[in-house]
Amino acid sequence: MQLPRRRRPDFEQARSHEYPDHLREAAAALPAAPGVYVFHGEEGDLPLYIGKSVNLRARVLSHLRNPDEARMLRQTRRISHVRTAGEIGALLLEARLIKQQHPLLNQKLRRNRQLCSLRLREGVPEVVYSKDIDFATEPQLYGLYASRHAALEALRALADAQRLCYGVLGLEKLAPGRACFRAMLRQCAGACRGDESRQDHQARLLGSLEALRVACWPYAGAVGLVERDGAERQIHVVRNWCYLGSVADEAQARALDTVAAGFDADGYKILCRPILGGTAEIIPL
């Protein structure tokens, strides 16, 4: 007896994924403009997914056509969106909404982080925490990390790349009068046994850390970052790298500055380049 031929896997995948009709109209109604979109499940549940794009309609349609996201789409009952005047506003709003609403499928930004950095104390790196010091104003911080473990792993990676000594950096204890184990393997330039002076070792450490330096907030207080998209205009209010919200005019922006602000790693990563690079339109508040 002849057995039926097995269907090709790619055919089965395409067959099992059907374009969700109940979302077609919602996607088509979205503007081809910047903003944030939300996939909602059942009423009262947490959002399924929050995303951002410079073209909301095109981005959401790309979700609907992706067979790998069929499960999420079957759970989606409606799609909402918030229009922004540009990409920066979309990035800031997305990060805020994910922290506030804890969507089920946004794993990266929804994590609660104990933010850490590296700081030199008497020339030796130590891990410091944002709960103890203000990262927006503290000078000579290097790198932003989600945990003490991540910070120390980054320091080890830097030491490996630059042949710095784990013992001199405080990453391991040195026996009196003995070199570290990595020096014997030629993975350390030998500051622990006098092959390299401590001054030269320190200079190489500082040069390597410079690329990781956390920039201090460059203004005395809050500022408004202006974005425009045709007739659309928004002022994103920021203080100490923390996003306070978006408004339409300067009076509203000054009123928004009463909100408490602390250092925010996501805000820093989004805003550092446009603010320090001079590409953004800035209004002092």
Side-chain angles (χ1 to χ4, degrees):
M1 182 174 67
Q2 185 178 5
L3 295 175
R5 288 166 51 186
R6 296 181 64 183
R7 291 187 176 91
R8 290 169 52 189
D10 56 343
F11 175 79
E12 286 290 351
Q13 186 181 41
R15 185 171 177 268
S16 63
H17 174 69
E18 297 179 359
Y19 196 92
D21 291 336
H22 65 291
L23 302 177
R24 188 190 302 269
E25 293 183 5
L30 292 172
V36 172
Y37 59 91
V38 184
F39 284 87
H40 299 272
E42 297 294 342
E43 195 67 32
D45 289 348
L46 293 175
L48 297 172
Y49 183 79
I50 296 175
K52 51 78 181 57
S53 178
V54 295
N55 187 325
L56 287 166
R57 184 189 305 156
R59 182 68 185 101
V60 171
L61 285 173
S62 72
H63 281 290
L64 301 185
R65 293 169 181 149
N66 187 348
D68 294 334
E69 299 182 13
R71 182 179 179 184
M72 178 187 77
L73 297 174
R74 284 195 296 270
Q75 299 177 64
T76 302
R77 297 295 172 262
R78 64 185 180 91
I79 302 170
S80 65
H81 78 280
V82 179
R83 176 88 159 76
T84 65
E87 183 178 16
I88 294 174
L91 287 164
L92 292 169
L93 182 58
E94 178 200 35
R96 166 180 276 191
L97 291 179
I98 289 173
K99 291 183 180 73
Q100 290 177 342
Q101 300 186 21
H102 303 288
L104 298 173
L105 301 178
N106 291 89
Q107 295 300 320
K108 187 174 181 181
L109 282 174
R110 69 183 290 236
R111 297 190 189 113
N112 291 321
R113 300 176 179 180
Q114 176 53 67
L115 191 64
C116 304
S117 188
L118 295 169
R119 180 178 65 180
L120 295 181
R121 182 179 182 184
E122 297 180 356
V124 178
E126 65 174 353
V127 179
V128 293
Y129 300 86
S130 61
K131 65 182 178 63
D132 300 321
I133 60 176
D134 186 355
F135 280 18
T137 57
E138 182 74 14
Q140 297 180 337
L141 295 180
Y142 303 97
L144 297 172
Y145 308 100
S147 67
R148 174 182 174 83
H149 175 77
L152 293 178
E153 282 300 301
L155 182 59
R156 288 189 184 93
L158 185 148
D160 292 342
Q162 301 298 326
R163 298 181 67 224
L164 299 172
C165 179
Y166 279 13
V168 176
L169 294 178
L171 291 170
E172 65 180 44
K173 290 185 178 180
L174 289 176
R178 300 191 62 178
C180 73
F181 179 69
R182 291 173 66 253
M184 293 184 286
L185 299 176
R186 299 183 182 276
Q187 295 174 351
C188 159
C192 51
R193 63 185 179 190
D195 295 349
E196 177 185 41
S197 72
R198 292 297 178 98
Q199 291 80 5
D200 287 346
H201 182 277
Q202 187 70 3
R204 292 198 300 114
L205 170 62
L206 290 172
S208 302
L209 286 173
E210 191 59 36
L212 302 175
R213 183 186 289 272
V214 178
C216 291
W217 178 242
Y219 299 98
V223 299
L225 188 156
V226 180
E227 275 194 303
R228 292 182 173 85
D229 182 34
E232 189 79 16
R233 177 180 183 262
Q234 281 187 319
I235 301 174
H236 312 304
V237 183
V238 184
R239 185 172 72 241
N240 293 343
W241 301 115
C242 182
Y243 170 57
L244 304 182
S246 297
V247 292
D249 59 52
E250 286 84 345
Q252 292 174 317
R254 292 187 182 92
L256 197 58
D257 186 29
T258 60
V259 179
F263 185 87
D264 176 65
D266 296 313
Y268 176 83
K269 292 172 184 176
I270 294 166
L271 293 162
C272 193
R273 180 174 293 180
I275 286 181
L276 298 182
T279 59
E281 181 184 349
I282 301 295
I283 300 174
L285 297 176

